[in-house]
Each structure stands twice: as structure tokens, then as C-alpha cells.
Amino acid sequence: MSEIAAGPTPLDGTGPVLTSRGRLVLRRFLRSRSAVAGIGVVLTLFALAYLAPLASPWSYSELDYTAFLQGPSASHWFGTTQIGGDLFTQTMVGLQKSLIIGLLVGLISTGLAAVVGAAAGYFGGWTDRALMWVVDLMLVLPAFLVIAILSPAFAGGSFLILVVLLAAFGWMIAARIVRGLTLSLREREFVKAARFMGVPPWRIIFRHILPNMSSLLIVDATIAMGVAILGESTLSFFGFGVQPPDVSLGTLIASGLGSSQTYPWLFLFPAGFLVVAILAFNLVGDGLRDALDSSSDAGRRKAEK
């Protein structure tokens, strides 16, 4: 059994202590006001993105030919666009796309980093050299330029292609960190015992090594989601990301930027949601890091309270 899976035991050997590691982490997390605020904002954004369009009388593709560039009002809560589109529903649908892209990219890139880094560190030898060569090669490639060059070939395709491209360039640094931790963990007694008992290598990796770096992987996934949302919005802003008729926060910001001085709602609402989403994910990532790492100063202060 891995060290993470096994809770601490009292010195008299009477059994596990009542407070498990999961409860301790949760207690530390909940004591961080910024982290709780961050998770609250993230959940609120997901709820707004998927439920708010149902409450609006307009769909994101529907046009109001009697209201061109109309400011926020009772009938159009965020105002209208140059062609009479309802900006509220467009912003919520764009928020949906940006959030789901960020979520998928964060999970895929962290999972890829965990597998590649753990395999390189555990097996060593030519496996380590080959995988680290791939990591070094990917690190020197300009991600934005490569995606911009490839995007025309996938024009009109699913946004999942953009997810794959963003995830393909977002796992290398985390993989190097996972490799370093694996080099240390593979020499621990519980890993040697599992190897001595004939447990297959990949089972050792997934049952004993990766669970012992779960804190790193959770924090990396959370931060990667915010980075992916910003990356998708940047690509979509320049026309290399989400393509019409789909919308994202990046495409809405791009279409409203030219009118930001005269019709500010076209730019401020999507840009505001983008800033709030990235800030919320970063707050959650910082809170998880402090809660999972008791050696950090913030984590130590929370544990002592």
C-alpha cells in the first residue's frame, strides 16, 4: 500500500488516528478564504454558463433587428452586438466553450505529464533518455506559432482538435517534475517491496508512485486549466482558435475590441468574465498547494490554527 493511501497511526499501535489526511487537507483548504472564494467563483461560472442561457429569452445565434448596438437593458441584459445579437447569451455560450476547453486541457496535459514523467523516472535507461528527448524537443517548439500554422488545416472541425493541440504543448515542464519525484520514490521501501513481490511495473506506477505525488498533480491540473483558458482565448482572439459559428470569450473580445471606446459593453463583459475565470482557477490552485503541502508557510499557519 502506498504511503498516501495509508493514514498515519498513533505510537501505541491501537489503530489509525481519527483525522485522515483527506480531512486535514480539506480543513486547511476551507480555512483559506481566497481558496474558498475561488472554488465558489468557479462553480458559479459553470452554473451561469450552462443555466443562465436557459433563463434568457434569446438564443446566442438569434438576432434582434430592432436593437443594433443597444446598451444593457431589461430585454438585452448585456446589450446587443453590431448585428443585433444578444451579448448575454453569447457571453454565456462563449464562457461554456472556454471553461470546457480549459477543463479538458488541464486534465489531459496533467495526465500525460504524469504518465510520461513517471515512466521516464521509473524505467530509466533508454526509456528515460527517449522520453526526455521528446520533452526537450517539445519545449523548444513555439507552441503559439505551431498551433497558428496548423489551425487552418482544421478549420470547420470540432473544438476538440484545439483541445488536443493545447494539451500537446502543456505537459512538458510538469513531466520533468514528475520524473524527478519518481527517481526518489522508486527507491522507497514500499516500492522496493512491491517490486520484490513481482508487482508489474505499470501497476507500481499507478498504485504506489503517482498517488504519492497526487498533491502536485492536482495543483498542476488546476493551474493548467487557467492557463489553457487564457491560451484558448488568445488563439481565438487572433483567429486561430474557436471558429465561427462557435463563440468563445476570445472571439467575443476580438469582435468587441474595435468598439471598446464607443460601445464598451461589447468588450467589457466577455473580458471581465475571462479575467474572473483565470483569477478563480489561480486562487483554487494556490489554496490546494497550501492545503496539500504542509511544509509551506501558508499551509503551516493553517494547520496550526
Side-chain angles (χ1 to χ4, degrees), residues 82-106:
Q82 295 89 336
I83 58 175
D86 184 71
L87 186 61
F88 173 77
T89 52
Q90 289 187 5
T91 302
M92 293 300 104
V93 172
L95 182 61
Q96 283 182 24
K97 194 61 58 69
S98 295
L99 287 175
I100 195 64
I101 289 175
L103 180 64
L104 291 176
V105 171

Side-chain angles (χ1 to χ4, degrees), residues 114-146:
V115 172
V116 173
Y122 183 82
F123 293 108
W126 67 267
T127 302
D128 183 20
R129 290 192 293 271
L131 291 177
M132 288 303 100
W133 180 83
V134 173
V135 169
D136 292 337
L137 176 63
M138 296 292 291
L139 283 172
V140 300
L141 292 176
F144 185 90
L145 182 60
V146 172

Side-chain angles (χ1 to χ4, degrees), residues 140-223:
V140 300
L141 292 176
F144 185 90
L145 182 60
V146 172
I147 296 177
I149 294 174
L150 293 177
S151 62
F154 304 111
S158 171
F159 74 95
L160 294 177
I161 298 174
L162 180 61
V163 170
V164 173
L165 292 175
L166 287 171
F169 289 95
W171 58 274
M172 294 82 69
I173 295 177
R176 279 196 165 277
I177 298 174
V178 170
R179 172 185 176 271
L181 292 174
T182 303
L183 290 173
S184 174
L185 287 171
R186 73 177 183 179
E187 302 302 325
R188 301 288 291 272
E189 290 78 4
F190 63 93
V191 175
K192 290 183 177 180
R195 194 159 52 231
F196 178 77
M197 295 172 61
V199 179
W202 282 108
R203 189 172 183 183
I204 293 176
I205 289 174
F206 284 105
R207 290 285 301 273
H208 301 289
I209 291 180
L210 290 181
N212 277 277
M213 57 181 79
S214 58
S215 58
L216 166 70
L217 298 176
I218 292 172
V219 173
D220 178 73
T222 306
I223 296 178

Side-chain angles (χ1 to χ4, degrees), residues 64-86:
D64 185 356
Y65 296 105
T66 64
F68 298 109
L69 291 174
Q70 183 184 79
S73 63
S75 78
H76 298 283
W77 300 335
F78 286 1
T80 60
T81 64
Q82 295 89 336
I83 58 175
D86 184 71

